[in-house]
Amino acid sequence: VSADPIAKVEEKVTVESLDLKPLCDEVKEYFAGRSISEKTLERNRVMQKIIGGEIVIAYTYWEREELVTCKYRWYLTRKFSQERKTRAARRILYGVNDIEQASEIIIVEGEPDKLAMEEAGFLNCVSVPDGAPDSVSSKPVPPESKDKSFKYLWNCNDCLKKASRIVIATDGDVAGHCLAEELARRLRKERCWRVKWPKKSDEDKHFKDANEVLMYMGPHVLKEAVLNAEPYPIP
């Protein structure tokens, strides 16, 4: 008689099992160059790890006090990877603990943008974990069981459904606009607002994202951009 198949159990991880370490001065200086303070890094439990002899930034993803996964960034080469031991783990928004009881939330496109929002005084902010799509789907939003690309939204739905106002502050490029549209389709456009990044001085171009605004214009301009978000257009 054949035995019942055994379900694969994903390994639970900890800071110790992943060999994560506090940030060294070199990485702190990198973040300081992006106008992100040590206080913000510590509160968000940003750490580091040695991979292949290189120091990489470790963005830790927490749900309550459980470490769910970890995303690595080679800050010199801008390469990303996800912790292999948690690759099949529950996908969640970065910083989801910060919106657990929030009636208004901000969604950005990358972990540094979530940190930048904190420098502007916004703790009620999360980042998507996987960047942006190349285009907007012409098909209806799939049911939860088939919506794999946006599984992180469904996994955090208990927090998201409490929000009466969702400010979408994704990047200002084409991919960022595609992500904003896909998020708004799932979160209901009538409760979404969209941030428009300010123009660069003496240029007809806009800043790309929250961290760029913070770096070049300061926290007050970033805060103003969020507060001036406009209702998401509904055809």
Side-chain angles (χ1 to χ4, degrees):
V1 179
S2 61
D4 291 334
I6 300 174
K8 181 181 178 181
V9 178
E10 195 64 35
E11 180 182 348
K12 287 217 169 189
V13 295
T14 64
V15 168
E16 292 74 23
S17 71
L18 296 183
D19 199 25
L20 303 181
K21 304 295 183 184
L23 294 177
C24 65
D25 289 342
E26 180 183 341
V27 179
K28 289 177 183 177
E29 289 173 7
Y30 163 78
F31 277 109
R34 302 189 72 162
S35 301
I36 295 172
S37 65
E38 288 187 38
K39 180 181 177 182
T40 294
L41 294 171
E42 289 173 3
R43 199 191 77 83
N44 289 275
R45 295 187 266 197
V46 181
M47 305 187 79
Q48 69 178 49
K49 183 172 181 171
I50 304 295
I51 300 179
E54 291 185 62
I55 299 173
V56 300
I57 297 167
Y59 294 109
T60 54
Y61 279 62
W62 299 82
E63 195 167 34
R64 303 288 176 85
E65 288 305 308
E66 180 184 355
L67 179 58
V68 175
T69 191
C70 191
K71 185 174 174 183
Y72 302 116
R73 172 177 171 139
W74 281 253
Y75 61 99
L76 297 177
T77 60
R78 300 189 68 181
K79 183 176 76 172
F80 288 91
S81 74
Q82 187 177 334
E83 175 56 51
R84 293 180 180 179
K85 294 179 181 179
T86 64
R87 186 162 289 169
R90 178 177 167 86
R91 293 173 69 236
I92 59 172
L93 292 159
Y94 178 66
V96 67
N97 287 344
D98 287 337
I99 64 165
E100 194 172 14
Q101 302 298 329
S103 59
E104 178 175 325
I105 64 176
I106 303 167
I107 300 179
V108 294
E109 194 172 321
E111 293 88 356
D113 296 319
K114 188 263 191 290
L115 304 178
M117 285 293 184
E118 188 158 324
E119 296 295 341
F122 298 106
L123 298 182
N124 56 326
C125 180
V126 289
S127 171
V128 302
D130 298 329
D134 296 327
S135 61
V136 177
S137 175
S138 59
K139 300 177 180 179
V141 173
E144 178 181 351
S145 61
K146 296 183 179 180
D147 198 15
K148 294 182 179 179
S149 295
F150 291 87
K151 190 69 175 175
Y152 56 83
L153 291 181
W154 299 103
N155 286 342
C156 298
N157 193 44
D158 285 346
C159 294
L160 294 171
K161 67 184 180 183
K162 297 175 185 176
S164 58
R165 188 172 190 263
I166 299 174
V167 177
I168 299 176
T170 51
D171 290 5
D173 56 14
V174 173
H177 287 296
C178 292
L179 176 60
E181 180 66 15
E182 291 290 8
L183 291 173
R185 292 174 71 206
R186 289 161 174 80
L187 297 170
R188 301 201 321 270
K189 292 183 179 181
E190 64 269 18
R191 62 174 179 154
C192 291
W193 270 251
R194 182 75 164 104
V195 170
K196 184 177 182 181
W197 301 118
K199 281 188 176 182
K200 297 181 179 181
S201 59
D202 301 324
E203 293 184 46
D204 196 31
K205 297 179 180 179
H206 291 259
F207 287 101
K208 178 177 177 286
D209 54 30
N211 193 203
E212 194 173 75
V213 174
L214 175 69
M215 288 170 61
Y216 293 102
M217 301 298 289
H220 298 297
V221 174
L222 177 54
K223 183 175 183 178
E224 185 179 354
V226 174
L227 295 178
N228 289 334
E230 299 178 351
Y232 203 93
I234 301 176

